[in-house]
Amino acid sequence: MATKHRIFLLVVLAVIIAAAGAVYSVLAPCHRGEEAVVLDIYPNTSLSYVRQQLGGGIGFDLACRIFKYEKPRTGHYVIPARTSWLDAVRMLHNHKQQPIRLILPSLRTLNHLAAFLGEKLMADSADFASAFHSAALLDSIGYTEETLPSLFIPNTYEVWWDISVPSFIGRMLREHDTFWNNERISFARQQGLTPVEVATLASIIDEETANN
C-alpha cells in the first residue's frame, strides 16, 4: 500500500512539475531583445512560417493550442519587446495588427502610383494597376484614367497594411471629399480652376521641383 501511495505522489508531483513548466513556457518572453518584432503575414502564410519567424518553441506551440490558433490572419503585427508567448499569440489570434503610416507622394501616372502602393501595402502593384484601369470601377466612382490621379491627395495616412484595393480606393474617396470642402472648392473656382486641375498643377510643380 505504501508503495502505491508513493507512486501516486510521484505521479502527482510529475504532473505539477509539467504544469509549472508549461505555464513558465507560455509566460516566457517570445524574444529577449530590446526592440519590437515586426511580422507581416500574407495570405496563405502557414503556421510553421510564423513559428519560424518568431523563433517559436514549446511556448509558442502551447499558446497556439490554448487559443486554437491554426490559420494565421493577414496583417502587419508589431510585437513589443519582452512580450510573452501567450500575449504574442493572443495578438495574432485576435488580429490585433498595427496600422502603417502611408506617406502618399504626388505621382502623375497611375502606373507609378500602383508601383508605389504595391511596395508599401500587402496588395500587389498589378492589383492596383488593374483597378486603376478598370472601366467599370472608374465609371462607378465618376473618374476616368486621366482624372483618377487627382483622387489621391498627397498626405500621410494611417491605413491597414492588408487593406484591399477596393477598400483603399474607398478610403481615398472619403479623404478626397473631406479635403475638398466647400471653402477649398470656392477658392479654386476663384482662381479659375477645378479640383482636378489643381491636383494636376500641383503634381507638375512637384515634379519640376524634384527635377531641379
Side-chain angles (χ1 to χ4, degrees), residues 51-199:
R51 187 181 193 276
Q52 179 184 17
Q53 292 300 110
L54 294 179
I58 187 172
F60 175 82
D61 296 337
L62 288 173
C64 287
R65 291 180 64 181
I66 291 171
F67 291 108
K68 297 181 180 180
Y69 179 63
E70 300 174 350
K71 185 175 178 56
R73 301 173 67 183
T74 61
H76 174 79
Y77 299 92
V78 179
I79 303 174
R82 306 197 66 77
T83 298
S84 70
W85 282 114
L86 190 69
D87 288 337
V89 173
R90 179 188 287 116
M91 179 187 300
L92 299 174
H93 177 266
N94 293 338
H95 202 216
K96 295 294 184 181
Q97 61 171 317
Q98 183 167 305
I100 67 166
R101 294 178 72 251
L102 180 67
I103 303 175
L104 193 63
S106 179
L107 297 169
R108 292 187 65 187
T109 72
L110 294 176
N111 288 337
H112 287 158
L113 178 59
F116 171 81
L117 294 173
E119 290 179 358
K120 302 297 182 181
L121 302 173
M122 184 185 76
D124 189 81
S125 59
D127 295 327
F128 281 106
S130 177
F132 295 161
H133 296 288
S134 167
L137 185 143
L138 293 172
D139 184 62
S140 69
I141 61 176
Y143 282 83
T144 65
E145 289 189 23
E146 290 72 29
T147 62
L148 186 60
S150 67
L151 170 65
F152 303 95
I153 307 295
N155 205 343
T156 299
Y157 303 96
E158 276 200 353
V159 300
W160 299 117
W161 173 76
D162 60 350
I163 188 172
S164 67
V165 174
S167 294
F168 179 78
I169 293 175
R171 169 71 183 278
M172 292 299 100
L173 284 167
R174 293 191 297 274
E175 296 288 351
H176 181 276
D177 291 344
T178 299
F179 179 84
W180 282 109
N181 54 31
N182 291 334
E183 182 179 350
R184 287 195 173 105
I185 291 174
S186 177
F187 181 79
R189 285 174 178 170
Q190 291 174 19
Q191 315 309 312
L193 298 170
T194 66
V196 172
E197 291 169 335
V198 171

Side-chain angles (χ1 to χ4, degrees), residues 106-109 201-212:
S106 179
L107 297 169
R108 292 187 65 187
T109 72
L201 182 61
S203 66
I204 293 173
I205 293 173
D206 287 344
E207 186 175 316
E208 291 297 326
T209 301
N211 291 335
N212 293 332

Side-chain angles (χ1 to χ4, degrees), residues 22-59:
V23 170
Y24 174 81
S25 296
V26 296
L27 295 181
C30 62
H31 65 98
R32 300 182 183 276
E34 297 301 321
E35 297 183 358
V37 170
V38 178
L39 179 65
D40 290 335
I41 298 181
Y42 287 83
N44 301 317
T45 295
S46 66
L47 186 61
S48 61
Y49 175 83
V50 174
R51 187 181 193 276
Q52 179 184 17
Q53 292 300 110
L54 294 179
I58 187 172

